[in-house]
Amino acid sequence: MTRQRHRNGNGSGITGGRTEESGGTGVNGTTRRRWAVVTAAAMAMAVPVTLGAAGDAGAAGGHSIVFARYTAAAPTEDLYAISPSGGTTVKITHTSTVSEVMPSWSPDGKRVAFVRYGSGGAIDGIWTMNTTGSDLKAVPGTKGASDPAWSPDGKRIAYAKPVGTQREIYVADIDGTPATRLTHTAADDLHPTWSPDGKYLAFNRADAGGHSRVMKIRLSTLAQTAVTGPSSHDWTPDWSHGDRIAFSRVDSSGFAHLYLVRPDGTGLHSITGALFNDKNPSWSPDGSRLVFTRGGTDDTDPEHLYVVRADGTALTQLTKTDSHDVEADWRP
């Protein structure tokens, strides 16, 4: 898999002010679909995470936003961390032949789950590590899986996994067992996010017509409810402790902007509106702010992390290097 394919996606299908509308295959860049082809070679490519230098000791300990980064000079993505107030980034993973992406904090802030894939594009699965990048553990049964999301009680993990040509939502204990398939549709279900009480998951569902909407599923009954409309282009939801869902929507402007909605589908409104692509929102623990990725109008433009208040004010740029900084997750 190329960096270009991965970057265009980030769960959004957003490319230079437009969306790639080719049904299930149009999401996540020129497609995360190819990630579904998991081979034995992926394991051979999965080398251990190398810890940073002594200066990185403590790594993400005081840097509560973790994200994936790549640059034109680097062939693979690594995970980094930064403080919500900005400043120096800390590199957490150091691997030259595999990429670490899609980080998700554990609720106690002591571990990070992430997806690892090799240079051929095959997903090696979901792994977890501590905040220094050590104590690396694979989550069994997650070959080909993406979009890990840690449950509020820290005992389970939700993720998207290929079933045939589509992805479905699964949930498992953190040791990988038992894995329970939650969705059974012809659509592409991905990017699960937990409700604060752990009783629901929200996720985005991409259909064959190129649309994607935010859905909600109750874990006890598997009853599903649409949160946003069927003709939407909605991606990467994140559920706050204050019971609001943030997501990225490609709206009538042709650009992706951040929107908020209540879990019952009411109160929909946008909080960003510039002529940039805003994606992958992640809530601060108190629900007052969001970190997200802002990209330009062309695939060659850098992508940086920004923080914004939930009312759309106090926009602040966090990262400024010539890099692509994506998929940020704010420590609970």
Side-chain angles (χ1 to χ4, degrees), residues 107 150-156 194 196 198:
W150 226 305
S151 66
D153 62 7
K155 297 179 180 179
R156 295 172 293 171
W194 294 82

Side-chain angles (χ1 to χ4, degrees), residues 60 62-67 80-86 89-90 92 103 105 282-284 289-292 305-307 318-319 327-331:
H63 297 72
S64 57
I65 294 172
V66 65
F67 62 98
Y80 289 73
I82 190 171
S83 167
S85 60
T89 59
V90 174
I92 307 174
W105 281 105
S282 176
W283 287 99
S284 64
R289 292 182 292 169
L290 291 146
V291 62
F292 65 98
L305 298 186
Y306 284 75
V307 168
L318 290 187
T319 60
E327 302 165 341
D329 192 46
W330 203 318
R331 178 160 38 194

Side-chain angles (χ1 to χ4, degrees), residues 182 198-200 217-223:
L182 302 182
K199 295 180 179 180
Y200 293 86
I217 186 169
R218 185 178 180 90
L219 297 183
S220 61
T221 64
L222 302 188

Side-chain angles (χ1 to χ4, degrees), residues 67-72 80 82 87-90 294 300-306 317-326:
F67 62 98
R69 166 180 284 177
Y70 76 84
T71 66
Y80 289 73
I82 190 171
T88 304
T89 59
V90 174
R294 169 165 284 184
T300 60
D301 290 348
E303 296 174 294
H304 297 127
L305 298 186
Y306 284 75
Q317 185 174 346
L318 290 187
T319 60
K320 301 178 181 179
T321 60
D322 187 13
S323 58
H324 298 280
D325 300 335
V326 298

